[in-house]
Amino acid sequence: MSDDVAIVGIGMHEFGRHDGVEGIDQGVVAVRRALTDASIQWEDIQFAFGGSQAAGAADTMVSKLGLTGLQFINVSNGCATGGSALFSAYNSIKSGMFDVGIAIGFDKHERGAFRVDLKENGLEDWYGESGLALTTQFFGMKINRYMHDYGISHATLASVANKASRNGAMNPMAWRRNELSVEEVRSSRMLSYPLTQYMFCSPAEGAVALVLCRADRAREFTNSPVYLKAAVVRSRRFGSFEVMAPHLATERGDGPTIDASKAAFEMAGVGPDDIDVAQLQDTEVGAEIMHMAENGFCEHGEQEEMIARGDTEIGGRFPVNTDGGCLANGEPVGASGLRQVYENVVQLRGNAGPRQVQGNPRVAYTHVYGSPGISGVTILSR
Amino acid sequence: MQTIPVAQGLFTGPSGAPQLLASRCTACANHMFPLQAGCSKCGGASTTTVELGRRGTLWTWTVQSYPPKAPPYAGNVDPATFEPYGVGYIEIDGKLLVESRLTIADPDFLDIGMELELVLEPLYVNENGEQVVTFAFAPVSATEKLSQS
Ligand SMILES: [Zn+2]
């Protein structure tokens, strides 16, 4: 892929809990910040793709941003809502249909664990009534089997949460900004064995907007364009081990992350060794560990040594989740995938302050995963 | 008290030795639980209902240590009396892995590969005073001890 599409403006509404502020209004704040960042007016935005999972239809925000008549399409694709908005915006520009547009993700969830909509997930009432409709169970079961197969230790689980909290403490937009020790993580309440409370992210609120344009017009808006080299979304195939599954096949197949990752590397014309910084879905600590391998950055089981060595720290060989990830930012589902892209743009611009990856990172990777077995990957470069 | 299943078509019984019911694809022999009309593997439209037998081995597990949100959960969610329960995937006879409650919730007594047997567990009493039951898997050793006593 050539440099077809550039990200020229980024905006975020702080992640966390914002009582009295609607999700859609957090989206409006993110849009305004992205417009300012790109030095562009709302009336010059030709199209928008936006969505949330639990905070309403994105297109209603035009009443606050201005009724300019632009093409505004609502996106609803579970945990890949933000990624799908970005993918759609990318294609709208690449196809030659439009020059300049915006991708928006926002959300606001109730407190506590995510409440699963059974019907939306194609499940019957007995599944929820019997106490099986909890995403936390899936995460506990997936990493428990993985630890058994590949020798990942409980100490490694805790050290991933410790790193996330340390990175989050350096991120002014993060929800949780206090460092948690390995011991605090391990001794927090056990939620779904082997995962404790501080090993999980929480549902949260927040919003991200990204202004995109045709690459050859990028310099009109910014001195530091970042190019979108790949944007891929994949769903599950037969045999993959996914959340909310009353049964699984006995044969194990590649999950959607493996498929999306391979397709993205091919599209971008780079490989895992070329990636300087990565944001990987960390709904809980096990997810970050497993996603390192599923995205092609190591062999299964190698994570134990890599994490002990500090490879995934900001100063390490392969920094992961430099903004604190979902663990420190919480997970407003509609915005989460775009937060990862936002952080990578900040890193590639060299604007990440105390959490800046050294050595002028050039190529960056994002990966989002969620219900009902969907993955989105992007690759960005300067 | 009358005992009724949490849903029709999930398992045989509730009296007698219960068995889970699965759909078997007539074209490729893929097994699916609960019953479904089409095949997730080959896309075939024809399936038959088969009994899955009563035993399996534990493929992976976790423990539900906090009360789930209700609804959808229909069991006890009172934080004072909530009892954690195990959840696992049980491999049945090379046919499929079924997700199920486990009768034990103590990590010290749960091991990948252990042999398990299907039992029915009380879930709640409905407005008609009937005991609603769902399926669960118990260690084979425990059910053997029960039947001996
Ligand atoms: Zn079939």
Side-chain angles (χ1 to χ4, degrees), chain A residues 32-47:
Chain A
R32 292 212 166 104
R33 288 175 177 169
L35 296 173
T36 301
D37 187 49
S39 309
I40 191 175
Q41 302 299 312
W42 174 245
E43 55 262 32
D44 295 322
I45 297 290
Q46 298 166 339
F47 71 90

mmCIF file with all atom_site columns, all heavy atoms in Angstrom, chain A residues 32-47:
data_model
loop_
_atom_site.group_PDB
_atom_site.id
_atom_site.type_symbol
_atom_site.label_atom_id
_atom_site.label_alt_id
_atom_site.label_comp_id
_atom_site.label_asym_id
_atom_site.label_entity_id
_atom_site.label_seq_id
_atom_site.pdbx_PDB_ins_code
_atom_site.Cartn_x
_atom_site.Cartn_y
_atom_site.Cartn_z
_atom_site.occupancy
_atom_site.B_iso_or_equiv
_atom_site.pdbx_formal_charge
_atom_site.auth_seq_id
_atom_site.auth_comp_id
_atom_site.auth_asym_id
_atom_site.auth_atom_id
_atom_site.pdbx_PDB_model_num
ATOM 1   N N   . ARG A 1 32 ? -14.021 18.390 18.438 1.00 0.00 ? 32 ARG A N   1
ATOM 2   C CA  . ARG A 1 32 ? -13.523 19.780 18.432 1.00 0.00 ? 32 ARG A CA  1
ATOM 3   C C   . ARG A 1 32 ? -12.002 19.803 18.609 1.00 0.00 ? 32 ARG A C   1
ATOM 4   O O   . ARG A 1 32 ? -11.297 20.580 17.962 1.00 0.00 ? 32 ARG A O   1
ATOM 5   C CB  . ARG A 1 32 ? -14.202 20.579 19.559 1.00 0.00 ? 32 ARG A CB  1
ATOM 6   C CG  . ARG A 1 32 ? -15.691 20.800 19.296 1.00 0.00 ? 32 ARG A CG  1
ATOM 7   C CD  . ARG A 1 32 ? -16.178 22.132 19.890 1.00 0.00 ? 32 ARG A CD  1
ATOM 8   N NE  . ARG A 1 32 ? -17.499 22.457 19.320 1.00 0.00 ? 32 ARG A NE  1
ATOM 9   C CZ  . ARG A 1 32 ? -18.652 22.309 19.988 1.00 0.00 ? 32 ARG A CZ  1
ATOM 10  N NH1 . ARG A 1 32 ? -18.645 21.881 21.232 1.00 0.00 ? 32 ARG A NH1 1
ATOM 11  N NH2 . ARG A 1 32 ? -19.790 22.613 19.399 1.00 0.00 ? 32 ARG A NH2 1
ATOM 12  N N   . ARG A 1 33 ? -11.507 18.933 19.491 1.00 0.00 ? 33 ARG A N   1
ATOM 13  C CA  . ARG A 1 33 ? -10.055 18.906 19.718 1.00 0.00 ? 33 ARG A CA  1
ATOM 14  C C   . ARG A 1 33 ? -9.323  18.402 18.478 1.00 0.00 ? 33 ARG A C   1
ATOM 15  O O   . ARG A 1 33 ? -8.236  18.879 18.148 1.00 0.00 ? 33 ARG A O   1
ATOM 16  C CB  . ARG A 1 33 ? -9.728  18.050 20.941 1.00 0.00 ? 33 ARG A CB  1
ATOM 17  C CG  . ARG A 1 33 ? -10.129 18.745 22.240 1.00 0.00 ? 33 ARG A CG  1
ATOM 18  C CD  . ARG A 1 33 ? -9.932  17.876 23.482 1.00 0.00 ? 33 ARG A CD  1
ATOM 19  N NE  . ARG A 1 33 ? -10.267 18.660 24.679 1.00 0.00 ? 33 ARG A NE  1
ATOM 20  C CZ  . ARG A 1 33 ? -10.404 18.152 25.895 1.00 0.00 ? 33 ARG A CZ  1
ATOM 21  N NH1 . ARG A 1 33 ? -10.228 16.846 26.102 1.00 0.00 ? 33 ARG A NH1 1
ATOM 22  N NH2 . ARG A 1 33 ? -10.709 18.924 26.922 1.00 0.00 ? 33 ARG A NH2 1
ATOM 23  N N   . ALA A 1 34 ? -9.916  17.434 17.779 1.00 0.00 ? 34 ALA A N   1
ATOM 24  C CA  . ALA A 1 34 ? -9.281  16.909 16.559 1.00 0.00 ? 34 ALA A CA  1
ATOM 25  C C   . ALA A 1 34 ? -9.281  17.963 15.459 1.00 0.00 ? 34 ALA A C   1
ATOM 26  O O   . ALA A 1 34 ? -8.303  18.102 14.713 1.00 0.00 ? 34 ALA A O   1
ATOM 27  C CB  . ALA A 1 34 ? -10.007 15.649 16.092 1.00 0.00 ? 34 ALA A CB  1
ATOM 28  N N   . LEU A 1 35 ? -10.367 18.726 15.356 1.00 0.00 ? 35 LEU A N   1
ATOM 29  C CA  . LEU A 1 35 ? -10.449 19.792 14.350 1.00 0.00 ? 35 LEU A CA  1
ATOM 30  C C   . LEU A 1 35 ? -9.379  20.846 14.624 1.00 0.00 ? 35 LEU A C   1
ATOM 31  O O   . LEU A 1 35 ? -8.678  21.303 13.709 1.00 0.00 ? 35 LEU A O   1
ATOM 32  C CB  . LEU A 1 35 ? -11.841 20.435 14.363 1.00 0.00 ? 35 LEU A CB  1
ATOM 33  C CG  . LEU A 1 35 ? -13.025 19.537 13.986 1.00 0.00 ? 35 LEU A CG  1
ATOM 34  C CD1 . LEU A 1 35 ? -14.348 20.278 14.212 1.00 0.00 ? 35 LEU A CD1 1
ATOM 35  C CD2 . LEU A 1 35 ? -12.931 19.066 12.540 1.00 0.00 ? 35 LEU A CD2 1
ATOM 36  N N   . THR A 1 36 ? -9.243  21.228 15.889 1.00 0.00 ? 36 THR A N   1
ATOM 37  C CA  . THR A 1 36 ? -8.230  22.225 16.261 1.00 0.00 ? 36 THR A CA  1
ATOM 38  C C   . THR A 1 36 ? -6.838  21.706 15.922 1.00 0.00 ? 36 THR A C   1
ATOM 39  O O   . THR A 1 36 ? -6.002  22.438 15.373 1.00 0.00 ? 36 THR A O   1
ATOM 40  C CB  . THR A 1 36 ? -8.322  22.526 17.772 1.00 0.00 ? 36 THR A CB  1
ATOM 41  O OG1 . THR A 1 36 ? -9.634  23.015 18.048 1.00 0.00 ? 36 THR A OG1 1
ATOM 42  C CG2 . THR A 1 36 ? -7.288  23.546 18.197 1.00 0.00 ? 36 THR A CG2 1
ATOM 43  N N   . ASP A 1 37 ? -6.612  20.420 16.237 1.00 0.00 ? 37 ASP A N   1
ATOM 44  C CA  . ASP A 1 37 ? -5.298  19.827 15.993 1.00 0.00 ? 37 ASP A CA  1
ATOM 45  C C   . ASP A 1 37 ? -4.955  19.849 14.504 1.00 0.00 ? 37 ASP A C   1
ATOM 46  O O   . ASP A 1 37 ? -3.799  20.011 14.127 1.00 0.00 ? 37 ASP A O   1
ATOM 47  C CB  . ASP A 1 37 ? -5.297  18.389 16.526 1.00 0.00 ? 37 ASP A CB  1
ATOM 48  C CG  . ASP A 1 37 ? -3.919  17.751 16.456 1.00 0.00 ? 37 ASP A CG  1
ATOM 49  O OD1 . ASP A 1 37 ? -2.950  18.387 16.911 1.00 0.00 ? 37 ASP A OD1 1
ATOM 50  O OD2 . ASP A 1 37 ? -3.817  16.629 15.933 1.00 0.00 ? 37 ASP A OD2 1
ATOM 51  N N   . ALA A 1 38 ? -5.969  19.692 13.652 1.00 0.00 ? 38 ALA A N   1
ATOM 52  C CA  . ALA A 1 38 ? -5.740  19.670 12.201 1.00 0.00 ? 38 ALA A CA  1
ATOM 53  C C   . ALA A 1 38 ? -5.918  21.058 11.579 1.00 0.00 ? 38 ALA A C   1
ATOM 54  O O   . ALA A 1 38 ? -5.814  21.194 10.349 1.00 0.00 ? 38 ALA A O   1
ATOM 55  C CB  . ALA A 1 38 ? -6.700  18.685 11.541 1.00 0.00 ? 38 ALA A CB  1
ATOM 56  N N   . SER A 1 39 ? -6.202  22.061 12.393 1.00 0.00 ? 39 SER A N   1
ATOM 57  C CA  . SER A 1 39 ? -6.475  23.417 11.887 1.00 0.00 ? 39 SER A CA  1
ATOM 58  C C   . SER A 1 39 ? -7.499  23.387 10.756 1.00 0.00 ? 39 SER A C   1
ATOM 59  O O   . SER A 1 39 ? -7.296  23.965 9.688  1.00 0.00 ? 39 SER A O   1
ATOM 60  C CB  . SER A 1 39 ? -5.189  24.083 11.376 1.00 0.00 ? 39 SER A CB  1
ATOM 61  O OG  . SER A 1 39 ? -4.182  23.992 12.334 1.00 0.00 ? 39 SER A OG  1
ATOM 62  N N   . ILE A 1 40 ? -8.598  22.713 11.007 1.00 0.00 ? 40 ILE A N   1
ATOM 63  C CA  . ILE A 1 40 ? -9.640  22.608 9.992  1.00 0.00 ? 40 ILE A CA  1
ATOM 64  C C   . ILE A 1 40 ? -10.983 22.966 10.636 1.00 0.00 ? 40 ILE A C   1
ATOM 65  O O   . ILE A 1 40 ? -11.144 22.814 11.858 1.00 0.00 ? 40 ILE A O   1
ATOM 66  C CB  . ILE A 1 40 ? -9.674  21.178 9.389  1.00 0.00 ? 40 ILE A CB  1
ATOM 67  C CG1 . ILE A 1 40 ? -10.563 21.124 8.137  1.00 0.00 ? 40 ILE A CG1 1
ATOM 68  C CG2 . ILE A 1 40 ? -10.115 20.140 10.409 1.00 0.00 ? 40 ILE A CG2 1
ATOM 69  C CD1 . ILE A 1 40 ? -10.529 19.774 7.433  1.00 0.00 ? 40 ILE A CD1 1
ATOM 70  N N   . GLN A 1 41 ? -11.901 23.480 9.835  1.00 0.00 ? 41 GLN A N   1
ATOM 71  C CA  . GLN A 1 41 ? -13.236 23.821 10.327 1.00 0.00 ? 41 GLN A CA  1
ATOM 72  C C   . GLN A 1 41 ? -14.184 22.640 10.111 1.00 0.00 ? 41 GLN A C   1
ATOM 73  O O   . GLN A 1 41 ? -14.023 21.876 9.164  1.00 0.00 ? 41 GLN A O   1
ATOM 74  C CB  . GLN A 1 41 ? -13.791 25.053 9.575  1.00 0.00 ? 41 GLN A CB  1
ATOM 75  C CG  . GLN A 1 41 ? -12.912 26.291 9.675  1.00 0.00 ? 41 GLN A CG  1
ATOM 76  C CD  . GLN A 1 41 ? -12.738 26.759 11.112 1.00 0.00 ? 41 GLN A CD  1
ATOM 77  O OE1 . GLN A 1 41 ? -13.710 26.884 11.863 1.00 0.00 ? 41 GLN A OE1 1
ATOM 78  N NE2 . GLN A 1 41 ? -11.494 27.013 11.509 1.00 0.00 ? 41 GLN A NE2 1
ATOM 79  N N   . TRP A 1 42 ? -15.184 22.537 10.981 1.00 0.00 ? 42 TRP A N   1
ATOM 80  C CA  . TRP A 1 42 ? -16.174 21.455 10.859 1.00 0.00 ? 42 TRP A CA  1
ATOM 81  C C   . TRP A 1 42 ? -16.829 21.467 9.464  1.00 0.00 ? 42 TRP A C   1
ATOM 82  O O   . TRP A 1 42 ? -17.070 20.419 8.873  1.00 0.00 ? 42 TRP A O   1
ATOM 83  C CB  . TRP A 1 42 ? -17.219 21.591 11.960 1.00 0.00 ? 42 TRP A CB  1
ATOM 84  C CG  . TRP A 1 42 ? -18.380 20.632 11.856 1.00 0.00 ? 42 TRP A CG  1
ATOM 85  C CD1 . TRP A 1 42 ? -19.683 20.944 11.631 1.00 0.00 ? 42 TRP A CD1 1
ATOM 86  C CD2 . TRP A 1 42 ? -18.334 19.200 11.972 1.00 0.00 ? 42 TRP A CD2 1
ATOM 87  N NE1 . TRP A 1 42 ? -20.459 19.805 11.603 1.00 0.00 ? 42 TRP A NE1 1
ATOM 88  C CE2 . TRP A 1 42 ? -19.649 18.721 11.817 1.00 0.00 ? 42 TRP A CE2 1
ATOM 89  C CE3 . TRP A 1 42 ? -17.303 18.264 12.200 1.00 0.00 ? 42 TRP A CE3 1
ATOM 90  C CZ2 . TRP A 1 42 ? -19.983 17.356 11.862 1.00 0.00 ? 42 TRP A CZ2 1
ATOM 91  C CZ3 . TRP A 1 42 ? -17.628 16.903 12.245 1.00 0.00 ? 42 TRP A CZ3 1
ATOM 92  C CH2 . TRP A 1 42 ? -18.948 16.469 12.071 1.00 0.00 ? 42 TRP A CH2 1
ATOM 93  N N   . GLU A 1 43 ? -17.090 22.654 8.921  1.00 0.00 ? 43 GLU A N   1
ATOM 94  C CA  . GLU A 1 43 ? -17.780 22.709 7.618  1.00 0.00 ? 43 GLU A CA  1
ATOM 95  C C   . GLU A 1 43 ? -16.904 22.174 6.484  1.00 0.00 ? 43 GLU A C   1
ATOM 96  O O   . GLU A 1 43 ? -17.411 21.895 5.401  1.00 0.00 ? 43 GLU A O   1
ATOM 97  C CB  . GLU A 1 43 ? -18.299 24.118 7.285  1.00 0.00 ? 43 GLU A CB  1
ATOM 98  C CG  . GLU A 1 43 ? -17.260 25.211 7.328  1.00 0.00 ? 43 GLU A CG  1
ATOM 99  C CD  . GLU A 1 43 ? -17.283 25.973 8.653  1.00 0.00 ? 43 GLU A CD  1
ATOM 100 O OE1 . GLU A 1 43 ? -17.609 25.350 9.689  1.00 0.00 ? 43 GLU A OE1 1
ATOM 101 O OE2 . GLU A 1 43 ? -16.974 27.176 8.656  1.00 0.00 ? 43 GLU A OE2 1
ATOM 102 N N   . ASP A 1 44 ? -15.608 22.015 6.745  1.00 0.00 ? 44 ASP A N   1
ATOM 103 C CA  . ASP A 1 44 ? -14.736 21.455 5.708  1.00 0.00 ? 44 ASP A CA  1
ATOM 104 C C   . ASP A 1 44 ? -14.601 19.929 5.807  1.00 0.00 ? 44 ASP A C   1
ATOM 105 O O   . ASP A 1 44 ? -13.921 19.315 4.988  1.00 0.00 ? 44 ASP A O   1
ATOM 106 C CB  . ASP A 1 44 ? -13.347 22.091 5.789  1.00 0.00 ? 44 ASP A CB  1
ATOM 107 C CG  . ASP A 1 44 ? -13.421 23.589 5.472  1.00 0.00 ? 44 ASP A CG  1
ATOM 108 O OD1 . ASP A 1 44 ? -14.209 23.963 4.577  1.00 0.00 ? 44 ASP A OD1 1
ATOM 109 O OD2 . ASP A 1 44 ? -12.722 24.370 6.145  1.00 0.00 ? 44 ASP A OD2 1
ATOM 110 N N   . ILE A 1 45 ? -15.206 19.339 6.818  1.00 0.00 ? 45 ILE A N   1
ATOM 111 C CA  . ILE A 1 45 ? -15.220 17.879 6.942  1.00 0.00 ? 45 ILE A CA  1
ATOM 112 C C   . ILE A 1 45 ? -16.310 17.330 6.009  1.00 0.00 ? 45 ILE A C   1
ATOM 113 O O   . ILE A 1 45 ? -17.475 17.696 6.104  1.00 0.00 ? 45 ILE A O   1
ATOM 114 C CB  . ILE A 1 45 ? -15.524 17.457 8.403  1.00 0.00 ? 45 ILE A CB  1
ATOM 115 C CG1 . ILE A 1 45 ? -14.430 17.954 9.343  1.00 0.00 ? 45 ILE A CG1 1
ATOM 116 C CG2 . ILE A 1 45 ? -15.687 15.930 8.514  1.00 0.00 ? 45 ILE A CG2 1
ATOM 117 C CD1 . ILE A 1 45 ? -13.090 17.276 9.202  1.00 0.00 ? 45 ILE A CD1 1
ATOM 118 N N   . GLN A 1 46 ? -15.898 16.457 5.076  1.00 0.00 ? 46 GLN A N   1
ATOM 119 C CA  . GLN A 1 46 ? -16.825 15.994 4.038  1.00 0.00 ? 46 GLN A CA  1
ATOM 120 C C   . GLN A 1 46 ? -17.654 14.781 4.472  1.00 0.00 ? 46 GLN A C   1
ATOM 121 O O   . GLN A 1 46 ? -18.731 14.541 3.943  1.00 0.00 ? 46 GLN A O   1
ATOM 122 C CB  . GLN A 1 46 ? -16.028 15.635 2.779  1.00 0.00 ? 46 GLN A CB  1
ATOM 123 C CG  . GLN A 1 46 ? -15.288 16.837 2.194  1.00 0.00 ? 46 GLN A CG  1
ATOM 124 C CD  . GLN A 1 46 ? -14.250 16.434 1.169  1.00 0.00 ? 46 GLN A CD  1
ATOM 125 O OE1 . GLN A 1 46 ? -13.784 15.294 1.144  1.00 0.00 ? 46 GLN A OE1 1
ATOM 126 N NE2 . GLN A 1 46 ? -13.894 17.378 0.302  1.00 0.00 ? 46 GLN A NE2 1
ATOM 127 N N   . PHE A 1 47 ? -17.106 13.982 5.389  1.00 0.00 ? 47 PHE A N   1
ATOM 128 C CA  . PHE A 1 47 ? -17.857 12.799 5.816  1.00 0.00 ? 47 PHE A CA  1
ATOM 129 C C   . PHE A 1 47 ? -17.417 12.388 7.212  1.00 0.00 ? 47 PHE A C   1
ATOM 130 O O   . PHE A 1 47 ? -16.326 12.777 7.667  1.00 0.00 ? 47 PHE A O   1
ATOM 131 C CB  . PHE A 1 47 ? -17.638 11.624 4.841  1.00 0.00 ? 47 PHE A CB  1
ATOM 132 C CG  . PHE A 1 47 ? -16.256 11.026 4.930  1.00 0.00 ? 47 PHE A CG  1
ATOM 133 C CD1 . PHE A 1 47 ? -16.007 9.967  5.812  1.00 0.00 ? 47 PHE A CD1 1
ATOM 134 C CD2 . PHE A 1 47 ? -15.204 11.522 4.172  1.00 0.00 ? 47 PHE A CD2 1
ATOM 135 C CE1 . PHE A 1 47 ? -14.733 9.426  5.915  1.00 0.00 ? 47 PHE A CE1 1
ATOM 136 C CE2 . PHE A 1 47 ? -13.937 10.976 4.280  1.00 0.00 ? 47 PHE A CE2 1
ATOM 137 C CZ  . PHE A 1 47 ? -13.697 9.928  5.143  1.00 0.00 ? 47 PHE A CZ  1
#
